[in-house]
Amino acid sequence: MGENRREFFRVIFNQAVNGKLSVYGGRFLPIEIYNVSVGGLVFSSALNIPLHESVNCSFHILDSVFLLEGSIVRKSTRGDTVEYGMEFSVNQGTSSELFKQLNYYQIRQRKGLLAE
């Protein structure tokens, strides 16, 4: 088994979570989020976003809404959509709240208490 090089644990959703993404400070467009960690997330979109582009992403986890800034660090084409890796640029307070919500989510997910 390969070595886990991630700094933070990652929550993988059973079904993609709906989110919104803003590029170039423009309007928010829909995306599908597949997993989230305190350090970033993976999403897919039909948008063509350049690597290292600054973006804003909005999504819900349980009862909390997050609006996070970050940049595109990975990009791969899958048919007519593109899968992206986004790295967050967040402060300690936001990081702590996201960590807490991801932990609650993962506990509920393992216990089968989520209606996804």
Side-chain angles (χ1 to χ4, degrees):
M1 186 168 183
E3 176 186 341
N4 183 1
R5 300 176 304 177
R6 297 195 187 281
E7 185 175 351
F8 304 106
F9 75 94
R10 182 166 296 271
V11 172
I12 300 170
F13 301 114
N14 296 333
Q15 292 181 339
V17 170
N18 294 322
K20 298 177 190 171
L21 188 81
S22 172
V23 184
Y24 312 118
R27 67 184 173 105
F28 279 86
L29 300 170
I31 60 171
E32 291 188 337
I33 300 171
Y34 299 108
N35 63 62
V36 178
S37 79
V38 174
L41 58 80
V42 172
F43 70 93
S44 69
S45 173
L47 299 171
N48 185 9
I49 307 167
L51 278 174
H52 311 294
E53 185 62 47
S54 293
V55 295
N56 292 312
C57 184
S58 173
F59 58 92
H60 291 79
I61 292 185
L62 300 176
D63 294 329
S64 294
V65 178
F66 292 93
L67 175 58
L68 304 172
E69 295 179 25
S71 62
I72 302 299
V73 294
R74 185 179 58 76
K75 179 179 180 178
S76 61
T77 304
R78 304 237 165 135
D80 58 349
T81 63
V82 183
E83 186 175 281
Y84 295 95
M86 175 184 172
E87 181 178 45
F88 298 141
S89 304
V90 295
N91 61 38
Q92 184 62 38
T94 303
S95 247
S96 295
E97 181 60 23
L98 181 57
F99 180 85
K100 182 174 80 172
Q101 292 302 319
L102 289 173
N103 195 32
Y104 289 157
Y105 186 95
Q106 192 170 50
I107 289 167
R108 289 181 176 137
Q109 186 182 47
R110 286 182 180 160
K111 290 182 175 182
L113 300 175
L114 296 173
E116 291 186 291

